[in-house]
Amino acid sequence: MTDAASQPGSAVVTAAPPAGAGPTEADWTAAVAAVRQLPADARVLLICHVNPDGDALGSMLGFGLGLRRLGVRRLQATFPGPPEVPEPFRGLPGLDLLVPATEAYPDPELVVCFDAASESRLGELADRLTGAGAAVVLDHHASNTGFGDVNLVDPRAAATSVVAEELLARLDVPLDAGIAECLYVALTTDTGSFRFEATTPAVHQMAARLLATGIRPGDISRRVFDTRPFGAVRLFGEVLGRARLEPAAAGGHGLVWTYATQDDLARHDQRPYVLEALIDSVRCTAEADVSCVVKQTTTGEWAVSLRSKGAVDVSRVAVALGGGGHRFAAGFTGRGTVDEVVDGIRAELPGALLNPTNA
Ligand code: 5GP
Ligand code: MN
């Protein structure tokens, strides 16, 4: 038993790293110690962000399977909101670790958070941070607020799963096919299947390590990215058909946007997760640097996805409107009518140009 891992307020605290720098050796050492020094019967709670994507679920479940290999027995994984796993992720190994947020340990010895830039992304589970003996944060958002006792935050990492793989390696947990599949889903989700700028040689080297366990990338990608119900195909047709192109927006770099309502989902008998892939069809638009999908979550409330090809820092737009994310992929919760939400975005675009003199 260690004091660090078992007594509230006594955890090893490392200073938040300077912006842009990855974790220090002291951070890694503290994270390894927080796991290694757990008592045998310790309860460990893994939490990822609300409305989890492939990186959130994949890094959390992959790390969870690693902890299980280390012999951690009292282990839960969870996320805020309804305990529904989106269909594309229902084949992930380690799903048996998941519990509804309502059943998550109230005061675990250790909490580990995945892919969440701030406590607000943990919703009703944010209180577990104060109830826990220690909180370790794994993330790759530059905007991470350093809300853990130990913060493994690497803004240069292509995905949170990159950080998770390194921590598993430092814990001497070998990759097996289950862990690898989870981390691979996370890595391919956040690199757009190795298409985005963050796809470094190190990313491909990690992919090679994961593939060497024998996982099947064709099957995994088809399940995660290339399968959706026919109703979703028809829904996409409708929603893409109402897309609007505004070439003059964003200082002439152009904005393309569309929206989907709850009524659209109901008409096609679809679950909200199917809308996550919409932004990838919208952002193809050659005439616009910035793309946007506004997805109704409830009356007067919208989950907004923003993407940029490089002229605009959309995280600035998202942060100005109460959200966050990365430079070229960000989001926020919008309120009011669709037009009001898009008006708000349009107004923030000029201030978010990365090179305003060239506009
Ligand atoms: P997506 O458009 O795929 O939902 O999200 C893109 C990026 O924006 C992700 O990195 C995610 O972390 C961030 N993001 C999306 N929605 C929100 C939000 O409501 N609040 C914050 N802080 N970040 C968000
Ligand atoms: Mn991520």
Side-chain angles (χ1 to χ4, degrees), residues 121 141 276 295 304-307 322-326 329-333:
R121 299 279 285 159
H141 291 90
E276 300 301 314
K295 298 162 279 190
V304 183
S305 286
L306 292 166
R307 298 291 185 272
H326 308 282
F332 68 96
T333 300

Side-chain angles (χ1 to χ4, degrees), residues 87-109:
E87 183 68 37
F89 307 124
R90 290 200 191 146
L92 276 179
L95 286 178
D96 58 303
L97 293 168
L98 281 179
V99 299
T102 48
E103 290 171 26
Y105 300 131
D107 51 359
E109 278 72 22

Side-chain angles (χ1 to χ4, degrees), residues 55 115 140 190:
D55 189 27
D115 206 36
H140 68 131
D190 269 27

